[in-house]
Amino acid sequence: MDKVLSGIRPTGFLHLGNYFGALLNFIKMQEENECYFFIADYHSLTTHPKPADLKTNVKNVLIDYLAAGLDPEKATIYIQSDLPEVCELSLLLSMNVYVGELQRVSSFKEKVRRQPNNVNAGLLTYPILMAADILVHRADKVPVGKDQEQHLEMTRDFAQRFNNLYEVEYFKLPVAYNFGNELIKIPGLDGSTKMSKSDNENSCIYLSDTPEIIRKKVMKAVTDSGPTEPNQPKPQAIENIFNLMKVVSAEETLHFFEEEYNQCRIRYGDMKKQLAADITAYISPIYNRILELRDNDEYLKRVIRQGAEKAHENAAKTLHDVREIIGIKKF
Ligand code: ADP
Ligand code: TRP
């Protein structure tokens, strides 16, 4: 059975892109693998969130994950800062990582460009902490998007370097896992090809949006004055509305609007009303569960305590072994 691990920084609510692009796959994977999902709160500190915001964001992400179907009986769900072993492993790995290679990481260079007034050491050592997250469980597969591939390559380098230095075959080399044909990209409501909260908050529909907010957002989605000739290719913004329909609506509904479009009869107002209703219906079980979980701190605490305990078992064993290998010995 493969060990699969993934983490998400708590920076806000989960949107339909996160759900269809990443979360649904994790949810399927928990059935057949030993899965670990964690909330990377240490990693999010590089941008100095306000303490109250950090607390609410961690809670909201946890609620969204659980409401969407992650099952704490099947997967180990925990918060990074509940696993102090990660910090120790990160420190131990750092002794064998070169400052130059960290400075050459694309995500670091991008941050230096974007936030020149806050180039903190946490940004530079980000890939070491991420490697520690992965290696502490000796995970086999890490489902990540393209933007994280370089970090994963570094994790493999650090693991291999440790093995070479101490002449052991201790760390496995984890691979980036993506879902081949199932890889999908959910478009934004703003005409862009990717729904993304970091690019444009207004392009996103969150799992926790009320039906009223969903309706308002969808009605405002970018469209045009409609086709003037039959069977014309669709402009990007229109293609986006159809693609959103593809994931949440019934096939007949999609087919109906395709026909309307091809015959130049399409009324985008009607199509958007239908899309808003279908999104609402699709996410309503998740949304209802979010509302329930918001008032159930006892349950959330239990999930997190149980997750931390399970994660700790692995982590403690790894740190015990690593200390032994390095020569940090008790007298
Ligand atoms: P954002 O772009 O909104 O900041 P993140 O970078 O936090 O999103 O993404 C978290 C996860 O969700 C990643 O695995 C990413 O690949 C996936 N994801 C984000 N947006 C989309 C989208 N529009 N379509 C498919 N997957 C997405
Ligand atoms: N760096 C990841 C991101 O920005 C989050 C993350 C931290 C992560 N540690 C991880 C992802 C370990 C996978 C495995 O999205």
Side-chain angles (χ1 to χ4, degrees), residues 8-9 15 17-18 21-22 144-145 147 184-187 194-198:
I8 185 159
R9 276 171 301 124
H15 54 68
N18 303 138
V144 283
D147 56 330
I184 64 164
K185 188 156 86 170
I186 302 294
K194 186 182 169 223
M195 183 176 284
S196 166
K197 63 179 171 302
S198 14

Side-chain angles (χ1 to χ4, degrees), residues 3 118 127 139 150 166 219 236 247 251 255 267 303 325:
K3 265 195 202 171
N118 180 21
Q150 192 181 20
Y166 296 106
M219 294 315 283
Q236 187 64 55
V247 290
E251 229 168 89
H255 186 69
R267 289 163 53 143
V303 167
I325 292 169

Side-chain angles (χ1 to χ4, degrees), residues 79-111:
I79 298 170
Q80 188 183 31
S81 59
D82 280 337
L83 209 62
E85 290 89 349
V86 164
C87 297
E88 185 177 349
L89 184 58
S90 182
L91 175 108
L92 296 174
L93 291 172
S94 75
M95 304 303 166
N96 205 9
V97 173
Y98 302 98
V99 174
E101 67 182 328
L102 294 174
Q103 285 166 329
R104 285 192 297 273
V105 175
S106 336
S107 60
F108 176 70
K109 290 198 283 195
E110 164 80 15
K111 290 286 181 193

